[in-house]
């Protein structure tokens, strides 16, 4: 780790090749995540597209610690659970879901949630690394229609999701606040999901 990190910090010609090779050989990505922070900011290997691919593949493997290490290096800002318009590094940024019956999409400076009449389903998800204790997700709603919005908070262990808490509130214009708690053990990574019901 120290030797490879030192070489990548010196920006040798092979740094971008190492990143591309690791993306093509995803079993190497957890090891690469330990040295990506040493890649200089101006290196071609630090292009956002490489970070997106690494985060996506590590998430698919359930390698959440390495995925967050890559995210810290490649994302220009720290994770913000309150900003649903940020989706560059999904699922560590919000993943807006657009299905046939339900979904969400960015419209101007807002995120539109939609569902066909009588239908329900997930509209957005994010994977977080929140500290144990009490938390709150605050949303501002405008132009609402009669529906309920459910926040599900599940603990992630590898690719498995352990069911956690569920909170359902009616959609009404103005502030909506979901209070939830992260347990102290066995829940280092969490998936927050929003669903219209």
């Amino acid at each position: 780790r120290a030797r490879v990190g030192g070489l990548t910090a010196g920006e040798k010609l092979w740094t971008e090749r190492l990143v591309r090779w690791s993306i093509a050989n995803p079993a190497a990505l957890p090891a690469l995540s330990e040295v990506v922070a040493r890649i200089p900011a101006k290196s071609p290997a630090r292009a956002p597209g490489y970070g997106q691919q690494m985060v996506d593949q590590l998430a698919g493997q359930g390698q959440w610690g390495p995925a967050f290490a890559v995210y810290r290096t490649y994302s220009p800002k720290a994770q913000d659970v309150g900003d649903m318009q940020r989706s560059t590094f999904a699922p560590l940024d919000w993943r807006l879901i657009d299905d046939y019956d339900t979904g969400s999409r960015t419209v101007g400076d807002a995120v539109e949630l939609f569902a066909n009449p009588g239908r329900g389903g997930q509209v957005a998800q994010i994977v977080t690394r929140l500290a144990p204790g009490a938390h709150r997700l605050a949303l501002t709603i405008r132009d609402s229609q009669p529906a309920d919005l459910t926040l599900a908070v599940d603990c992630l262990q590898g690719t498995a999701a352990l069911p956690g808490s569920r909170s359902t509130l009616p959609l009404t214009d103005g502030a909506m606040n979901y209070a939830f708690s992260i347990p102290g053990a066995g829940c280092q990574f969490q998936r927050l999901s929003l669903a219209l019901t």
Side-chain angles (χ1 to χ4, degrees):
R1 182 173 21 201
R3 182 171 178 152
V4 173
L7 291 171
T8 59
E11 186 44 42
K12 301 296 181 187
L13 292 175
W14 54 265
T15 303
E16 187 177 15
R17 290 184 204 147
L18 174 65
V19 170
R20 285 197 320 257
W21 181 88
S22 298
I23 289 169
N25 298 275
L29 287 174
L32 180 65
S33 74
E34 297 183 27
V35 297
V36 291
R38 302 281 304 272
I39 298 172
K42 294 183 179 180
S43 168
R46 288 282 294 272
Y50 289 134
Q52 289 170 317
Q53 292 178 73
M54 287 188 274
V55 165
D56 184 57
Q57 290 184 5
L58 288 163
Q61 298 172 24
Q63 295 280 348
W64 301 112
F68 273 96
V70 170
Y71 183 84
R72 280 191 303 275
T73 299
Y74 282 85
S75 178
K77 298 180 183 177
Q79 186 181 55
D80 181 1
V81 175
D83 186 356
M84 290 185 68
Q85 290 193 313
R86 278 180 57 189
S87 60
T88 304
F89 295 97
L92 306 186
D93 287 329
W94 281 98
R95 181 173 68 88
L96 301 179
I97 300 168
D98 189 355
D99 285 335
Y100 182 75
D101 285 324
T102 60
S104 58
R105 59 186 162 239
T106 301
V107 178
D109 66 346
V111 173
E112 178 185 55
L113 309 179
F114 62 89
N116 287 332
R119 303 292 184 179
Q122 290 192 356
V123 294
Q125 285 185 345
I126 189 171
V127 173
T128 62
R129 188 178 198 171
L130 300 173
H135 295 273
R136 184 174 65 92
L137 177 63
L139 303 173
T140 301
I141 306 298
R142 60 180 195 238
D143 301 326
S144 63
Q145 299 292 321
D148 290 334
L149 187 63
T150 298
L151 171 68
V153 181
D154 300 319
C155 296
L156 297 177
Q157 293 181 352
T159 57
L162 307 176
S165 65
R166 305 282 185 273
S167 301
T168 301
L169 296 173
L171 277 175
T172 55
D173 287 356
M176 290 180 66
N177 290 290
Y178 290 93
F180 61 96
S181 182
I182 303 297
C187 196
Q188 185 178 5
F189 305 102
Q190 311 86 31
R191 181 177 61 214
L192 279 56
S193 304
L194 288 170
L196 285 171
T197 55

